[in-house]
Amino acid sequence: MADAPQEFDVIVIGAGISGLYQLYRLRELGLTVRVLEAGTGVGGTWYWNRYPGARFDSESYSYGYSFSKELLEEWDWTEHFSPQPETLRYLNFVADKFDLRRDIQFRSRVAAAHYSDDRRGWDITLEDGSRFRSRFLITAIGPLSAPTMPRIPGIDSFKGRSFHTGKWPHEAVTFEGKRVAVIGTGATGVQTIQEVAKTVGHLTIFQRTPNWCAPLHNGKISKEEMAGIRAEYPAIFKRCQETFSCFLHTPDPRSALEVSDEEREAFFEKLYAEKGFGIWQGNFKDILTDRKANALISDFVARKIRQRVKDQAVAEKLIPKNHGFGTRRVPLETRYYEVYNQPNVKLVDINETPIERVTENGIKTSDREYEFDIIIYATGFDAITGSFDRIDIEGEGGLKLKQHWKGGPQTYLGVMVEGFPNMMMLMGPHTALGNIPRSIEYNVEWVTDLIRYARDHQISRIAATPAGVKSWTDHVKSLGVGLLSNEIDSWMTGINRNVEGKDTRIIARYSGSAPAYRERCDAVAANDYRELALA
Ligand code: NA7
């Protein structure tokens, strides 16, 4: 006979940034919690994405947790944009400091979660068959955590080594003297390419769509600088609270069209020379909504690419033609464009010569076969809803979440779903993503307050109402109107042609301001959660 299920007040799926913090907060309520984590360690995104060059594009000191003064005192960032190994060390440090591991079960991939209205709780089953029961289910499974391979024939026939960037091995991979292929030129591909290019024998990049990249301007943080940053933490986090997407950068109130050509050019130059996302998130207010304004910044960055890449035929291939600057996620780079000036680097535009198949020895395009020792798939994720789709999540009356969301997600505040009582999502669809840890902290605290309220008022069933879901989903859709990014295929609009059924654009992200999101959620809490059905 199968073992009886283990019972907890709350099951959290995932021990990444959100799962760790959620555990910390729920413990404060005195609840029994078990975090189920597929990996062998904590860290989520920063556990899985060990590919060469992986790092933050948000300033390290704006990205770390802000909730613990002690933690802020004890942790030193060593680079303005922390590399993945340091971030993983940080998250392990957090887990140790708050003694979180004793409630985390590793090597535990959740296969199914079914709601039972009789018990007002969830039945959770792992891939190995072990079972859990809980009153509440909290998904902390990440918006970019279901890696997807391209649908190219012959992938399994390759005799060399191959990796998806999101499932990178724990041991070091070296590239000296190797013939390496990278497929994909999104934020991940760009980071990978510029790092691999430093040591590789020969590198071939297979590009389908170029992206508009901008300089990261990373640098080391000295001990003295770190002391200065530490003193600034209250101001840093206050600023993140106030900006549109919780970054240190926020749009300039001017229109790109209202200033003189000289003033505009000088401002673009300034942004191009500054650290981080300023050129995307801190640019003129209309570059992401007004085609003319967008064309001005696109033209500016195109000129930079032409200046930086010596072979103008290659430069043209690297300049996006089907979308404007910032309408897809802007990869931040360090000497990315200069990589294409190396004699041992080749760019293959697969629109001109499509990949036909992966062979035993490499990759065959329409015009020739390339031989490789290593193929790197930087082909991205089944974003936002993909991590939900991988789990058999069943709500009331056998309703499957995957089916329910077929035409796009419908949520209440991005946290709850109608028909799935007692399930709360952290960084689910329709929440403010932006500088993710800032959004996570708010999301976790809101969910914790809701569960505290339920505990204090003997409530055992929390459900989103049809009216609440309709109103939030309509609101999220209305916010997306007029955004140039919603007219473009990307993971941000739910497109991933490597996944069945993900070929129609959807509104999966909340694109209003983070302060407005918090204001709305705060009002719901202040009003005793009357918009939810509590019983
Ligand atoms: P992205 O941004 O989705 O990029 C994936 C890349 O892989 C992109 O260049 C794709 O080209 C390319 N791709 C995907 N499938 C194929 C096939 N079948 N053939 C050729 N090329 C393909 O994922 P990332 O991992 O870079 O970044 C995701 C987010 O994670 C990032 O924004 C950060 O916020 C963290 P396409 O553009 O579809 O033509």
Side-chain angles (χ1 to χ4, degrees), residues 144 150 184-188 208-209 328-329 350 378-381 491 498:
L144 292 155
T185 50
T188 301
R208 187 164 66 184
T209 313
R328 298 173 115 205
R329 203 288 206 180
I350 61 170
T379 45
F381 301 90
W491 68 259
N498 301 317

Side-chain angles (χ1 to χ4, degrees), residues 507-523:
I507 303 284
R509 294 177 314 136
Y510 167 86
S511 46
S513 81
Y517 175 77
R518 289 192 299 265
E519 199 178 309
R520 176 79 175 82
C521 294
D522 285 349

